[in-house]
Amino acid sequence: MTPFLRKFRILFSTQFALMTEYRAEIVIWMLSGTLSLIMMLVWMGQAAAAPGGQIRGFSASDFASYFLATWFVGQLLVVWVAWELDFEVRQGTLSPKLLRPLDPMWGHYSGHVAEKIVRFPIMLVLVSLFAWLAGARFSLDWRVYAAVLGLVVLGFTVRFLWEYSLGLLAFWTESSTSFQEVVWLVYAALGGLFAPLAFYPQWVQNIAVWTPFPYMLGLPANLIAGKATLEQAGQGALVLVGWLAVFILVRLMVWRVGLKKYGAVGA
Amino acid sequence: MTRYFRLIRIFTGATISAQLEYRANFLGAVLASLGEVGVALLGIAVLFGQPGTVSVGGYSFHQALLVVGFFMLTEGFISVFVQPNMSKIAEAVRTGSMDFTLLKPIDAQFNVSTRNLNVLRLTDILIGLGLIVYAASFLTVTPGGVVAAAVMYLSALVIVYCIWLALSTTAFWFVKTQNMSELFSGVFGAGRFPVTAFPVPVRAFLTFVVPIAFITTVPAQALTGGLSPLLALASPLVAAVLFVGSRLFWKKAVGSYTSASS
């Protein structure tokens, strides 16, 4: 195990150096993911216009708390590996990586983690600013944030693996990134980017509880906004662990089968 | 003038025949369009799905659907006509191939704006038109409203083009502009909803700072006859000012262009 950890540490430090170079871009990437901010503003407008100033028990300030929290969590779950794989497979730059004594997945994984660490402090500043502007209130219990961290690490890894599997479809098709966009839509809808899951029709909620999406995005956001309990966090973590096992297998299978199909450009 | 129309025909033919070489990408483009319309429709579906909600920002469901239709139409316009051209400006400045464009005996801005098309994304335009027609069939629309909406939407297209041109023109100084267009798309996402659905300070921002309101809300208002005369006048005016402004900006940028080797 130690040689593996040494390789991972070196990969991580190079990726971290790379990502700090891109810090200006990271701010722009963060600001271009505006969907939850837009939904926040619309729901706040709706709550202000509703009789009693509330929709399903959510006041404008509750909406601000929930959607800023989804924005925060969503930023930590951002995964772009499908685009990188699409590029590497089509351009053939995957070939030299296959010669390395380590699955290329770890390079991508360390890059994503490094980017999150660069992103985190910038994000804290922006979230505090927006929270002050919109009048959001967050939970003050430290155990909540420990639970959020756990769910986010699990959720990020699950998402990374499914995006990786989708990206590997580049072995067969040139449209793999489009599949990724459609799956993103399901993630955004069931994760609760458009509204808290409780606002959806009952049948949608019944389906959603079997998917990993609500537990990686909506649940941590609800925890931060003070609308979910630690027991729910524990149950969510169990579901995510189940999905993690599924996607580890799926990724491994797609990788094995796809690699046989791979004929590098020019080979 | 006829020369420019002939050139548009030649450019279109060339770009379409180039794209038909990559027909397999069609599936991807359709999926991308469906994803785009899915986001917009889900957004308003959840809003109107709440018990007791009959309007969002004073818009009924079908009026809001009209706004979504104009949003998709504009997305299509950007993907088909604007972005394929504008994204190449930065590349041309960086590699110095802008030289060839500037040497041609036609207007350089015309050349960089019309040379390419992405016909695969025509589906966005079709979806947008379909949504507008569907939503309008539930609303009372007068012939005058249609004419007003056409004029307002034409101004909207000019506004969109000018913003993109101005953002892309900054490539003459800052090499990379892709991030700026992503930032624009992020803000433009607010156009999925009627501007009145936002809190007042945001509404002012979306009208006066980034004129998103003129792109999707104003044409929808014009079609249903709810447009205030002030906005009806402001929209073409904003378009004209932006057109002249972006033209001057382009001229200034080209004037300071020193090619790539020096």
Side-chain angles (χ1 to χ4, degrees):
Chain A
M1 203 62 195
T2 338
F4 170 79
L5 281 180
R6 210 180 59 235
K7 286 174 206 153
F8 188 80
R9 213 195 55 217
I10 291 165
L11 274 177
F12 179 80
S13 58
T14 53
Q15 291 288 345
F16 186 76
L18 182 77
M19 287 303 166
T20 36
E21 278 303 306
Y22 279 100
R23 56 197 179 275
E25 268 88 356
I26 287 176
V27 175
I28 290 173
W29 294 333
M30 285 170 59
L31 289 175
S32 45
T34 51
L35 187 61
S36 43
L37 298 179
I38 290 170
M39 292 313 299
M40 170 183 89
L41 292 169
V42 174
W43 281 107
M44 284 171 73
Q46 280 294 95
Q54 283 193 339
I55 295 175
R56 294 207 182 191
F58 272 65
S59 66
S61 151
D62 290 333
F63 279 121
S65 317
Y66 173 79
F67 281 107
L68 276 180
T70 50
W71 188 66
F72 179 78
V73 175
Q75 294 285 334
L76 292 175
L77 295 177
V78 168
V79 172
W80 58 91
V81 75
W83 273 274
E84 287 183 346
L85 286 172
D86 180 58
F87 179 86
E88 288 184 359
V89 170
R90 278 193 295 129
Q91 303 287 321
T93 54
L94 179 65
S95 311
K97 289 192 176 175
L98 292 176
L99 296 175
R100 294 183 189 171
L102 192 67
D103 190 324
M105 181 181 82
W106 294 107
H108 293 290
Y109 192 77
S110 63
H112 279 66
V113 174
E115 197 262 4
K116 298 289 176 287
I117 294 172
V118 178
R119 190 180 277 236
F120 193 74
I122 314 172
M123 205 162 60
L124 280 187
V125 175
L126 284 175
V127 168
S128 319
L129 177 71
F130 291 154
W132 175 66
L133 285 173
R137 285 186 310 267
F138 299 130
S139 169
L140 294 174
D141 187 350
W142 68 269
R143 287 174 308 170
V144 159
Y145 291 95
V148 168
L149 182 70
L151 285 172
V152 165
V153 170
L154 276 174
F156 164 75
T157 310
V158 168
R159 183 164 181 210
F160 179 84
L161 287 169
W162 95 56
E163 298 272 333
Y164 201 93
S165 311
L166 284 170
L168 288 178
L169 294 181
F171 285 129
W172 292 273
T173 162
E174 286 175 8
S175 308
S176 63
T177 53
S178 308
F179 290 111
Q180 191 271 344
E181 278 176 50
V182 174
V183 173
W184 177 85
L185 185 62
V186 181
Y187 155 81
L190 298 184
L193 217 53
F194 295 99
L197 198 63
F199 283 52
Y200 286 63
Q202 191 58 46
W203 64 271
V204 178
Q205 294 185 40
N206 291 342
I207 296 172
V209 291
W210 294 100
T211 67
F213 311 116
Y215 309 107
M216 52 201 289
L217 188 59
L219 179 60
N222 270 327
L223 281 166
I224 296 176
K227 297 250 176 197
T229 61
L230 288 170
E231 286 84 72
Q232 286 171 314
Q235 289 162 4
L238 281 180
V239 179
L240 283 179
V241 168
W243 279 105
L244 184 65
V246 171
F247 282 118
I248 286 176
L249 283 176
V250 169
R251 204 284 313 183
L252 205 62
M253 229 169 59
V254 180
W255 174 245
R256 293 248 167 96
V257 179
L259 214 51
K260 289 197 188 109
K261 178 96 171 82
Y262 179 56
V265 175
Chain B
M1 199 61 191
T2 46
R3 184 153 155 258
Y4 282 98
F5 280 119
R6 213 176 65 233
L7 278 171
I8 288 183
R9 219 178 56 222
I10 295 170
F11 287 163
T12 311
T15 183
I16 291 178
S17 57
Q19 278 185 9
L20 289 181
E21 289 293 312
Y22 303 96
R23 280 181 297 261
N25 286 347
F26 184 66
L27 173 68
V30 168
L31 287 177
S33 303
L34 290 180
E36 196 65 63
V37 73
V39 171
L41 289 180
L42 271 174
I44 67 163
V46 180
L47 278 166
F48 280 98
Q50 302 316 308
T53 301
V54 286
S55 73
V56 171
Y59 278 60
S60 71
F61 177 71
H62 289 110
Q63 284 170 328
L65 206 56
L66 207 53
V67 175
V68 173
F70 278 112
F71 175 80
M72 278 307 290
L73 193 57
T74 313
E75 275 283 334
F77 172 73
I78 293 173
S79 316
V80 176
F81 297 101
V82 182
Q83 198 185 19
N85 290 303
M86 296 299 154
S87 58
K88 294 198 175 59
I89 293 179
E91 181 71 12
V93 171
R94 196 171 59 80
T95 59
S97 68
M98 188 56 85
D99 295 5
F100 307 120
T101 308
L102 296 175
L103 283 173
K104 287 190 180 113
I106 51 168
D107 186 83
Q109 187 190 335
F110 170 82
N111 195 354
V112 298
S113 307
T114 54
R115 180 62 188 81
N116 298 288
L117 290 178
N118 180 4
V119 280
L120 293 177
R121 292 303 291 270
L122 277 173
T123 40
D124 284 41
I125 294 186
L126 293 178
I127 292 173
L129 285 175
L131 278 175
I132 292 172
V133 171
Y134 174 76
S137 68
F138 290 89
L139 303 161
T140 43
V141 176
T142 59
V146 175
V147 174
V151 174
M152 291 302 117
Y153 194 61
L154 207 64
S155 310
L157 294 183
V158 174
I159 291 172
V160 169
Y161 164 73
C162 291
I163 294 176
W164 268 86
L165 178 68
L167 289 177
S168 311
T169 304
T170 56
F172 284 91
W173 293 281
F174 314 124
V175 192
K176 257 168 81 181
T177 57
Q178 200 208 341
N179 291 323
M180 289 213 184
S181 51
E182 268 183 38
L183 212 51
F184 171 79
S185 309
V187 179
F188 181 60
R192 293 185 186 103
F193 299 98
V195 72
T196 46
F198 292 99
V200 177
V202 181
R203 216 181 292 173
F205 174 78
L206 291 177
T207 312
F208 300 112
V209 185
V210 209
I212 304 289
F214 292 110
I215 299 171
T216 56
T217 308
V218 166
Q221 281 178 334
L223 196 59
T224 52
L227 187 64
S228 72
L230 191 68
L231 278 177
L233 279 174
S235 183
L237 201 68
V238 170
V241 168
L242 281 177
F243 190 76
V244 175
S246 60
R247 172 81 185 164
L248 290 175
F249 187 50
W250 166 261
K251 286 269 183 200
K252 187 168 161 47
V254 170
S256 71
Y257 176 66
T258 52
S259 193
S261 56
S262 45

